Structures are given as structure tokens and as C-alpha cells.
Amino acid sequence: MARSASSQPTEVELQILRILWQSGGATAREVHNALAAAEAKETNYSTTVKMLAVMLEKGLVKRDESASPQIFSAATSQKATQRRMLGDLIDKVYDGSALSLVLQALSSRKATAGELTEVRRMLDELEKSRLPRPDHE
Amino acid sequence: MARSASSQPTEVELQILRILWQSGGATAREVHNALAAAEAKETNYSTTVKMLAVMLEKGLVKRDESASPQIFSAATSQKATQRRMLGDLIDKVYDGSALSLVLQALSSRKATAGELTEVRRMLDELEKSRLPRPDHE
DNA sequence: GCGAAGTAGCGAACGAATTCGCTACGTCAA
DNA sequence: TTGACGTAGCGAATTCGTTCGCTACTTCGC
């Protein structure tokens, strides 16, 4: 499978991206530690560095080489990635129906009253101004 | 291999599952044809059979061996699989927040008025009877 | 019964993702 | 300067998903 285009970040890549999104940027060591902390990952430091290198090649992360320990940061925003993966899921398992995904998300995970209100507000907005809401991220 | 637990169906497995969900059950040949029809897949028939065998091992599909050409069917319902993958996505890319997923799904994909009404109805139900809505599938 | 056409199954090949070992380089304190 | 310690990078090994070739078994018409 040629991966550069049209395909999602892999499992581990996603974990690393999450770390970078949250920290805004980190050294290889920091990423490695966060990775180890997040789960019983117990991988070699070299592995993390390699992953970062691979992701750099794929264009998933950026790197500031001027810094003493190099600083890595995500190349794509979390929102853009979310949108991409969400669309993918909808196509692949919901037969393209965003509606059924939303309904299922609402029904299967118990939402708080505040959250429901939030959704309602979003609905109001959508219904009021039915504009081709730009995909600004 | 033995990945029975904790991991999602792979790309091709999902395609096959979708075919089985829609048809309710099919022979290897039918699955193969549907696969070929769905996209420019152009794979060998043996490949499809092998995939089915692997999925059988993983417990993703069931098989009626008594039928003359064996009949394969999905072992898990589409809803259950959707729920599982949705939860996975929420954890992996939405930091566990179903709310932000819902908001993004609503805002990025233009929903029809009817769909919005549908969502609203669901909200009403949820707010009215805030029961620990059982995970019936 | 016999051959044709399709079904079932096995093991190996291939590629991509993940892992690690080993080497080289940089920094910093004694 | 030199040794300790951490960072950077390369190539190879491993694992897993996917693909196929080859062989055996069924079914059906002749």
C-alpha cells in the first residue's frame, strides 16, 4: 500500500501526533517519554526517533533543526486530521451517512446536559444560517 | 496473527464486512464479485477466499459449511462494529470527547433540514428520559 | 465413469509499519 | 582533552496485512 496520499496516519503515528498537538512541539526524548507514560509502551528510544524520521519523510511532522535538541511539531492541525478521519469513517462504516454517525454517537455515549445544550446551540446556528459553512480550521 | 481482541477490522476486511452486511450472507464467489465491482480491485479469487479464511479465524465472519457453496456471513452486526470503531476514533483523535466529534460532524458535513430535525428529536428524547440507555444493538 | 468448471485450503511471497542494534556526533563538566 | 551522557541517523530484522500459485475436492453435464 503506497501511503503518502489519501491514507490516514497509522496507529503509532497518531499517538505521536496527539502528543505533539497537546504539547505544541517537543524533542524526541519528550515524545518518547510521553509515549511511554501514555501506555505500557516500553519501546526503545531509537524506535521513537525512527518513527519521527519516517513521519518527517511522510510530511506528517515538521522539525526545527536549529534548536539544540531538535524540536518536532505536527505538520497538520488536529482539526484537519479529525475531519479527514471522521469523513473516512463515515464513508467506510456508515455508508456515507453522517446522520447515523451523529445519532449513534449521541445515543451510545451518555452526554451531559451541558453537552446536549451545546449540540442544540449548534443545531440552531445551522438551521438559522444555512450557509456553506467554510471548512476553516 | 491471533488478533481476535482489541483490534479493528482492517481495510479489506471492512470492505468484505460491508458486502456481507448488505447481502446478509454470500458465497466466496459473490463476495469476490462484489469486491471487484465496488472498486477497481481486480484481485485474484484466491485472495478473496484467503481473506475470508483469515476473517473466519479471527472470528469476524461465520460460515455455513452445509450449503453447497459455503455461505459466509458477518459475525458481528454492523451497528456493533460501528459503535466499536466510533468509540475508537473518539478516543484516538478526539481525546475521548464525543461532543467535539458530533459538533464537527454536524458542522463539516452539510446536513439537510430533515436530518437536523432528526437530530433534534434525538436530543429531546435524550434530555427527557436520561436513562442509562442500554447498549442494545 | 470422465473431463470441465468452480470451490476450498495451504504455504509462501511481498510490501508496509514497527522495532531495534550499532555507529557517529555534540555537549558539558572535571 | 577526555570521558560520560544524550541526540541523530542508518540499515536490517520482525510483524502483520495482503496477495498469489499450486493442489485437492465437488458438482455437473456428457
Coordinates of all heavy atoms in Angstrom, one line a residue, chain A residues 1 3 10-12 41 43-44 46-47 50 58, chain C residues 15-23 26-28:
Chain A
M1 N 0.8 -1.2 0.0 CA 0.0 0.0 0.0 C 0.8 1.3 0.0 O 1.5 1.6 1.0 CB -0.8 0.0 1.3 CG -2.2 -0.3 1.0 SD -3.2 0.4 2.3 CE -4.2 -1.0 2.7
R3 N 1.5 4.8 0.8 CA 0.9 5.5 1.8 C 0.8 7.0 1.7 O 0.0 7.6 2.4 CB 1.5 5.2 3.2 CG 0.6 4.2 3.8 CD 0.8 3.8 5.1 NE -0.3 2.9 5.3 CZ -1.5 3.2 5.9 NH1 -1.6 4.4 6.4 NH2 -2.4 2.3 5.9
T10 N -1.0 6.1 10.7 CA -1.1 4.8 11.4 C -1.3 5.0 12.9 O -1.2 6.1 13.4 CB 0.1 3.9 11.1 OG1 1.2 4.5 11.8 CG2 0.4 3.8 9.7
E11 N -1.5 3.9 13.5 CA -1.7 3.8 15.0 C -0.7 4.6 15.8 O -1.0 5.6 16.5 CB -1.7 2.4 15.4 CG -2.2 2.1 16.8 CD -3.7 2.4 16.9 OE1 -4.4 2.3 15.9 OE2 -4.1 2.9 17.9
V12 N 0.5 4.2 15.6 CA 1.6 4.8 16.4 C 1.8 6.3 16.0 O 2.1 7.2 16.8 CB 2.9 4.1 16.2 CG1 4.0 4.7 17.1 CG2 2.7 2.6 16.6
K41 N 4.0 1.1 26.8 CA 4.6 1.0 25.5 C 5.9 0.4 25.5 O 6.3 -0.5 24.7 CB 4.7 2.4 24.8 CG 3.8 2.6 23.7 CD 3.9 1.4 22.7 CE 3.1 1.7 21.4 NZ 3.1 0.5 20.5
T43 N 9.0 0.9 24.5 CA 9.7 0.7 23.3 C 11.1 1.4 23.5 O 11.3 2.2 24.4 CB 9.0 1.3 22.1 OG1 8.9 2.7 22.3 CG2 7.7 0.7 21.9
N44 N 12.0 1.1 22.6 CA 13.3 1.6 22.6 C 13.3 3.1 22.1 O 12.4 3.4 21.3 CB 14.1 0.8 21.6 CG 15.6 0.9 21.8 OD1 16.1 2.0 21.8 ND2 16.2 -0.2 22.1
S46 N 15.3 4.5 20.2 CA 15.6 4.6 18.8 C 14.3 4.4 18.0 O 14.2 5.0 16.9 CB 16.5 3.4 18.4 OG 17.5 3.2 19.4
T47 N 13.4 3.6 18.5 CA 12.2 3.4 17.7 C 11.4 4.7 17.6 O 10.9 5.0 16.5 CB 11.3 2.4 18.5 OG1 12.1 1.2 18.6 CG2 10.1 2.1 17.7
K50 N 13.1 6.9 15.1 CA 12.9 6.4 13.8 C 11.5 6.8 13.3 O 11.3 7.2 12.2 CB 13.0 4.9 13.7 CG 12.8 4.3 12.4 CD 13.8 4.7 11.3 CE 13.8 3.8 10.1 NZ 14.9 4.2 9.2
K58 N 7.2 11.5 5.5 CA 5.8 11.5 5.0 C 5.1 12.9 5.1 O 4.0 13.1 4.6 CB 4.9 10.5 5.9 CG 5.2 9.1 5.7 CD 4.2 8.3 6.5 CE 4.5 6.8 6.5 NZ 3.5 6.1 7.3
Chain C
dG15 P 7.6 -6.2 -3.2 OP1 7.7 -5.6 -4.6 OP2 8.7 -6.6 -2.4 O5' 6.7 -5.2 -2.4 C5' 5.3 -5.2 -2.5 C4' 4.6 -4.4 -1.4 O4' 4.5 -5.3 -0.2 C3' 5.5 -3.2 -0.9 O3' 4.6 -2.2 -0.6 C2' 6.2 -3.8 0.3 C1' 5.2 -4.7 0.9 N9 5.7 -5.8 1.7 C8 6.9 -6.5 1.4 N7 7.1 -7.5 2.3 C5 6.0 -7.3 3.2 C6 5.7 -8.1 4.4 O6 6.3 -9.0 4.9 N1 4.6 -7.6 5.0 C2 3.8 -6.6 4.6 N2 2.7 -6.2 5.3 N3 4.1 -5.9 3.5 C4 5.2 -6.3 2.8
dA16 P 5.2 -0.7 -0.2 OP1 4.6 0.3 -1.1 OP2 6.7 -0.8 0.0 O5' 4.6 -0.5 1.3 C5' 3.2 -0.7 1.5 C4' 2.9 -0.7 3.0 O4' 3.4 -1.9 3.6 C3' 3.6 0.5 3.7 O3' 2.6 1.0 4.6 C2' 4.8 -0.1 4.3 C1' 4.3 -1.5 4.6 N9 5.4 -2.5 4.7 C8 6.4 -2.7 3.8 N7 7.2 -3.7 4.0 C5 6.6 -4.2 5.2 C6 7.0 -5.3 6.0 N6 8.1 -6.1 5.7 N1 6.2 -5.6 7.1 C2 5.2 -4.8 7.3 N3 4.7 -3.8 6.6 C4 5.5 -3.5 5.6
dA17 P 3.1 2.2 5.6 OP1 1.9 3.1 5.6 OP2 4.4 2.7 5.1 O5' 3.2 1.5 7.0 C5' 2.1 0.8 7.5 C4' 2.5 0.2 8.9 O4' 3.5 -0.7 8.7 C3' 3.0 1.2 9.9 O3' 2.5 0.9 11.1 C2' 4.5 1.0 9.8 C1' 4.6 -0.5 9.5 N9 5.8 -0.9 8.8 C8 6.3 -0.4 7.7 N7 7.4 -1.0 7.2 C5 7.5 -2.1 8.1 C6 8.4 -3.1 8.2 N6 9.4 -3.3 7.3 N1 8.3 -4.0 9.2 C2 7.3 -3.9 10.0 N3 6.4 -2.9 10.1 C4 6.5 -2.0 9.1
dT18 P 2.8 1.8 12.4 OP1 1.6 1.6 13.3 OP2 3.2 3.1 12.0 O5' 4.0 1.0 13.1 C5' 3.7 -0.3 13.6 C4' 5.0 -0.9 14.1 O4' 5.9 -1.1 13.0 C3' 5.8 -0.1 15.1 O3' 5.7 -0.9 16.3 C2' 7.2 0.0 14.6 C1' 7.2 -1.1 13.5 N1 8.2 -0.9 12.4 C2 9.1 -1.9 12.2 O2 9.2 -2.9 12.9 N3 9.9 -1.7 11.1 C4 9.9 -0.7 10.2 O4 10.7 -0.6 9.3 C5 8.9 0.3 10.5 C7 8.8 1.5 9.6 C6 8.1 0.1 11.5
dT19 P 6.4 -0.2 17.6 OP1 5.6 -0.7 18.8 OP2 6.6 1.2 17.4 O5' 7.8 -0.9 17.7 C5' 7.9 -2.3 17.7 C4' 9.3 -2.7 17.4 O4' 9.7 -2.4 16.1 C3' 10.4 -2.0 18.3 O3' 10.8 -2.8 19.4 C2' 11.6 -1.8 17.4 C1' 11.1 -2.4 16.1 N1 11.5 -1.5 14.9 C2 12.6 -1.9 14.1 O2 13.1 -3.0 14.3 N3 12.9 -1.1 13.1 C4 12.3 0.2 12.9 O4 12.7 0.8 11.9 C5 11.2 0.5 13.7 C7 10.5 1.8 13.5 C6 10.9 -0.3 14.7
dC20 P 11.7 -2.3 20.6 OP1 11.5 -3.1 21.7 OP2 11.5 -0.8 20.7 O5' 13.2 -2.5 20.0 C5' 13.5 -3.8 19.6 C4' 14.8 -3.8 18.8 O4' 14.7 -3.0 17.6 C3' 16.0 -3.2 19.6 O3' 16.9 -4.2 19.8 C2' 16.5 -2.1 18.7 C1' 15.9 -2.4 17.3 N1 15.7 -1.2 16.5 C2 16.3 -1.1 15.2 O2 17.1 -2.0 14.9 N3 16.1 0.0 14.5 C4 15.2 0.9 14.9 N4 15.0 2.0 14.1 C5 14.5 0.8 16.1 C6 14.8 -0.3 16.9
dG21 P 18.2 -4.0 20.8 OP1 18.2 -5.2 21.6 OP2 18.1 -2.6 21.4 O5' 19.4 -4.0 19.8 C5' 19.5 -5.0 18.8 C4' 20.7 -4.8 17.9 O4' 20.4 -3.7 17.0 C3' 21.9 -4.3 18.7 O3' 23.1 -4.9 18.1 C2' 21.9 -2.8 18.6 C1' 21.3 -2.6 17.2 N9 20.5 -1.4 17.0 C8 19.6 -0.9 17.9 N7 19.0 0.2 17.5 C5 19.5 0.4 16.3 C6 19.3 1.5 15.3 O6 18.5 2.4 15.5 N1 20.0 1.3 14.2 C2 20.9 0.3 13.9 N2 21.5 0.4 12.8 N3 21.2 -0.6 14.8 C4 20.4 -0.5 15.9
dC22 P 24.5 -4.6 18.8 OP1 25.3 -5.8 18.5 OP2 24.4 -4.1 20.2 O5' 25.1 -3.4 17.9 C5' 25.0 -3.6 16.4 C4' 25.6 -2.4 15.8 O4' 24.6 -1.3 15.7 C3' 26.8 -1.7 16.5 O3' 27.8 -1.4 15.6 C2' 26.2 -0.5 17.2 C1' 25.1 -0.1 16.2 N1 24.0 0.7 16.8 C2 23.5 1.7 16.1 O2 23.9 2.0 14.9 N3 22.5 2.5 16.6 C4 22.0 2.2 17.8 N4 21.0 3.0 18.3 C5 22.6 1.1 18.6 C6 23.5 0.4 18.0
dT23 P 29.2 -0.8 16.2 OP1 30.3 -1.7 15.7 OP2 29.1 -0.5 17.6 O5' 29.3 0.6 15.4 C5' 28.7 0.7 14.1 C4' 28.6 2.2 13.7 O4' 27.4 2.7 14.3 C3' 29.8 3.0 14.3 O3' 30.2 3.9 13.2 C2' 29.1 3.8 15.4 C1' 27.7 4.0 14.9 N1 26.7 4.2 16.0 C2 25.8 5.2 15.8 O2 25.7 5.9 14.8 N3 24.9 5.3 16.9 C4 24.9 4.6 18.0 O4 24.0 4.8 18.9 C5 25.9 3.6 18.2 C7 25.9 2.7 19.4 C6 26.7 3.4 17.1
dG26 P 29.1 17.3 15.3 OP1 28.6 18.3 14.4 OP2 30.5 17.0 15.6 O5' 28.3 17.6 16.7 C5' 26.9 17.5 16.8 C4' 26.5 17.9 18.2 O4' 26.7 16.8 19.1 C3' 27.3 19.1 18.8 O3' 26.4 19.9 19.4 C2' 28.2 18.4 19.8 C1' 27.5 17.1 20.2 N9 28.3 16.0 20.4 C8 29.4 15.5 19.7 N7 29.9 14.4 20.1 C5 29.2 14.1 21.3 C6 29.3 13.1 22.2 O6 30.1 12.1 22.2 N1 28.4 13.2 23.2 C2 27.5 14.2 23.4 N2 26.7 14.1 24.4 N3 27.3 15.2 22.5 C4 28.2 15.1 21.5
dT27 P 26.8 21.3 20.2 OP1 25.7 22.3 20.0 OP2 28.2 21.6 19.7 O5' 26.8 20.9 21.7 C5' 25.7 20.3 22.2 C4' 25.9 20.0 23.7 O4' 26.7 18.7 23.8 C3' 26.7 21.0 24.5 O3' 26.1 21.1 25.8 C2' 28.1 20.4 24.6 C1' 27.7 19.0 24.7 N1 28.7 18.0 24.4 C2 28.9 16.9 25.3 O2 28.2 16.7 26.2 N3 29.8 16.0 24.9 C4 30.7 16.1 23.8 O4 31.5 15.2 23.6 C5 30.5 17.2 23.0 C7 31.4 17.4 21.7 C6 29.6 18.1 23.3
dC28 P 26.1 22.5 26.6 OP1 24.8 23.1 26.5 OP2 27.3 23.3 26.2 O5' 26.4 22.0 28.0 C5' 26.1 20.6 28.4 C4' 27.0 20.1 29.4 O4' 28.0 19.2 28.8 C3' 27.8 21.2 30.1 O3' 27.9 20.9 31.5 C2' 29.2 21.1 29.4 C1' 29.3 19.6 29.2 N1 30.2 19.1 28.2 C2 30.8 17.9 28.3 O2 30.5 17.2 29.3 N3 31.7 17.4 27.4 C4 32.0 18.2 26.4 N4 32.9 17.8 25.5 C5 31.4 19.5 26.2 C6 30.5 19.9 27.1

